Amino acid sequence: MNLVDLITTGRGYVTRGQFLDCGYSDRDIRAAVRSGLLRRRRQGVYVHAATFDVLSPEQQHVVDVRSVADKLGPAVAVSHQSACAIHGAAMYGTRLDRIHVTRLDGAAGRTAHGIVHHEGQVVRDDDLEEIDGMLVVKAPRSIFELGTTGSVESAIVVMDSGLHLALTTPEDLEELGRRFESWPGARRARYAASLADGRAESPGESRSRYLFRRYNLPVPELQVAIHDESGELIGFTDFGWTEYRHLGEFDGKVKYGGLVGDPRTPQEIAFAEKKREDRLRRQLFGISRWTWHEIAPSQEAATVRRIEGELHQSRRLYTRNRLIIPLS
């Protein structure tokens, strides 16, 4: 097998031992690393640079997880953010530079060589499943576990994603909150679970909703359907404030390069969105828009003040002498 075939097949990574078994030497490996063909991820673990570099951070993390789980075998189960990455749950503000596993062999918890070993004293058989040849903590528990380790905001993001993707349910999260009541961080995770909403379609929407709560803005409805005078559906908006006749849109989902799989050019997408917004405004709604940059910590206060002002402006313009019908 030639070098390129070896490194682009299999489980996304190749070990030094596999190279040597195929007749390559350490000199060949070093030359491939110097040329940029290979990238070293861990001691004795390499990836094909061109294939690996186009992966998302979460997908890259899954490759690293495989290399660790394959080596450690049934003594551990992949857990916390590493398990969330395998299940496909979205994450925000979560470090992916370490692999998280839970010990199943009674070994003590420790951190070594970029691997966080969690003690597995309360792991049941029904907490685990096999995915791609690895033992992995099931999605509901891994999502709740991650919620105990970070901020409320990051917990809401992963829980919203888990609910939206049907990886977990509110009942799952509530039961886990009771089961792990004494865990460090469990109170924070339970609070996040009480706010989680599967209607959120992106981390930006989840973060925006928590931002509104922190700054005491009125609570919006999510994924609001708006119809025109004839009853035709114009579209869904991320947020809607009924009593203010105001809509909100998080613009992080549309990039300058367009949506993945969307054949339209960025200009065509922008034009279509402008037409949609004009139709929404003709139904006597105000609209606020914001981006990732505008909900960054350095910008969030100004963004909230702007949205609050636009809410009150819409109420002045569109609710005077008007019967308010709840959005649906």
Side-chain angles (χ1 to χ4, degrees), residues 8-26:
T8 56
T9 58
R11 294 175 62 74
Y13 71 92
V14 184
T15 65
R16 173 179 177 270
Q18 289 173 309
F19 281 125
L20 298 181
D21 288 344
C22 290
Y24 295 100
S25 66
D26 286 326

Side-chain angles (χ1 to χ4, degrees), residues 264-309:
R264 297 176 298 174
T265 66
Q267 293 78 13
E268 289 171 335
I269 293 173
F271 181 69
E273 184 57 31
K274 176 62 167 59
K275 289 177 62 178
R276 173 178 173 271
E277 182 170 322
D278 288 344
R279 292 183 68 193
L280 292 172
R281 291 188 183 278
R282 284 199 294 271
Q283 305 311 307
L284 301 182
F285 287 105
I287 301 176
S288 292
R289 293 184 175 278
W290 57 94
T291 63
W292 280 110
H293 172 71
E294 290 174 291
I295 58 175
S298 61
Q299 302 294 321
E300 63 180 26
T303 300
V304 169
R305 287 194 299 269
R306 173 175 66 81
I307 294 173
E308 184 176 31

Side-chain angles (χ1 to χ4, degrees), residues 105-245:
D105 57 1
R110 69 186 190 280
T111 299
H113 308 297
I115 307 171
V116 181
H117 299 256
H118 300 269
E119 292 186 22
Q121 297 177 350
V122 289
V123 179
R124 305 186 309 214
D125 288 344
D126 61 356
D127 287 330
L128 307 177
E129 62 181 317
E130 184 174 326
I131 299 176
D132 196 19
M134 302 175 287
L135 277 178
V136 182
V137 172
K138 288 182 178 178
R141 174 168 171 165
S142 61
I143 287 169
F144 188 86
E145 282 179 334
L146 181 54
T148 67
T149 64
S151 66
V152 172
E153 183 179 40
S154 65
I156 289 173
V157 168
V158 73
M159 290 178 181
D160 278 2
S161 176
L163 293 171
H164 183 73
L165 297 173
L167 297 173
T168 189
T169 66
E171 293 75 22
D172 288 336
L173 297 176
E174 184 178 354
E175 190 276 328
L176 288 162
R178 291 192 298 267
R179 180 179 168 194
F180 300 123
E181 183 176 6
S182 62
W183 273 22
R187 178 175 294 181
R188 178 173 57 247
R190 288 197 301 272
Y191 176 62
S194 74
L195 301 178
D197 193 319
R199 292 175 296 174
E201 295 185 339
S202 72
E205 292 175 39
S206 300
R207 290 185 59 209
S208 298
R209 197 174 76 255
Y210 184 54
L211 177 66
F212 301 154
R213 174 173 288 272
R214 287 195 293 113
Y215 281 87
N216 295 314
L217 278 187
V219 178
E221 284 295 312
L222 306 185
Q223 303 307 320
V224 178
I226 303 297
H227 300 81
D228 64 14
E229 301 89 340
S230 65
E232 180 183 350
L233 178 67
I234 298 173
F236 291 85
T237 63
D238 298 332
F239 304 96
W241 289 268
T242 305
E243 66 274 25
Y244 291 84
R245 297 292 297 178

Side-chain angles (χ1 to χ4, degrees), residues 44-65:
V45 176
Y46 303 86
V47 297
H48 181 230
T51 303
F52 189 80
D53 289 350
V54 299
L55 301 177
S56 70
E58 291 80 9
Q59 291 169 328
Q60 292 179 351
H61 186 70
V62 170
V63 174
D64 292 336
V65 169

